[in-house]
Amino acid sequence: MEIRLADTIETEEVIELYRLNSWSSAEKPDQLLPALRNSDTLVTARLSGKLIGLGNAISDGSLVVYYPHMLVHPDHKGKGVGRAMMEALQKRYRSFHQQMLTADGNAIGFYRTLGFERAGRTEPMWIYAGNEH
Ligand SMILES: CC(C)(COP(=O)(O)OP(=O)(O)OC[C@H]1O[C@@H](n2cnc3c(N)ncnc32)[C@H](O)[C@@H]1OP(=O)(O)O)[C@@H](O)C(=O)NCCC(=O)NCCS
């Protein structure tokens, strides 16, 4: 398995990965692909060239980073792919004052393993255009 930063991604492979995880942004390729490519950092995991994982970070470059997307192909979950991608991202942002994300219910344990914790007594708030949460 190969972890790449700033990899070149193709629309079809990205949409397949999002569809397999039932993520609604799979239905918005015209927004999803530019968004991923415009991230502060994009990380991919590939096995013999095939895209099996993807994550991204958006940031002000010095204090705050937000990790919007992290997903692994269903056939390759539970094999350390997510950890490897998150560690590659965190190499860059470890010293930041604030690393944030919104953990889906099923992914809370994964992020805890990687050192994230509930954000004090704060309440996550959003305006969300999807339907999978
Ligand atoms: C969440 C996700 C990215 C994790 O990736 P993964 O490759 O399956 O996870 P890893 O195999 O790298 O696991 C890393 C560690 O987290 C732990 N872990 C993973 N999922 C877990 C879970 N649901 N609950 C508890 N621990 C979990 C693993 O046991 C492992 O621990 P270890 O390294 O100490 O052995 C992946 O399962 C996924 O794509 N899920 C669907 C999309 C999603 O929910 N993304 C997050 C949105 S907020």
Side-chain angles (χ1 to χ4, degrees):
M1 194 244 307
E2 189 186 355
I3 299 295
R4 297 185 191 168
L5 293 176
D7 192 13
T8 301
I9 46 171
E10 304 298 336
T11 302
E12 297 71 29
E13 61 181 358
V14 170
I15 295 306
E16 186 193 356
L17 190 61
Y18 278 67
R19 284 228 172 96
L20 286 167
N21 278 286
S22 306
W23 278 21
S24 57
S25 36
E27 311 310 322
K28 300 177 179 175
D30 292 346
Q31 291 152 284
L32 175 60
L33 270 294
L36 292 173
R37 290 176 178 138
N38 202 37
S39 302
D40 195 50
T41 308
L42 177 69
V43 62
T44 58
R46 292 186 182 273
L47 196 60
S48 308
K50 182 183 164 59
L51 185 71
I52 59 164
L54 182 149
N56 71 336
I58 56 178
S59 176
D60 60 17
S62 51
L63 271 180
V64 181
V65 58
Y66 182 79
Y67 302 111
H69 287 188
M70 171 68 55
L71 65 173
V72 172
H73 189 293
D75 291 348
H76 299 278
K77 283 180 187 169
K79 299 174 184 169
V81 177
R83 173 186 277 279
M85 290 195 295
M86 202 65 208
E87 286 179 350
L89 289 175
Q90 286 192 288
K91 260 189 198 153
R92 202 164 167 189
Y93 302 109
R94 190 164 288 129
S95 64
F96 278 35
H97 186 66
Q98 199 168 313
Q99 298 176 62
M100 300 198 69
L101 54 84
T102 305
D104 192 70
N106 295 326
I108 291 172
F110 166 71
Y111 288 117
R112 283 218 176 99
T113 304
L114 289 160
F116 288 85
E117 58 186 12
R118 193 169 193 285
R121 282 176 288 146
T122 67
E123 183 91 23
M125 299 177 81
W126 65 15
I127 296 172
Y128 187 67
N131 53 19
E132 70 270 56
H133 294 285

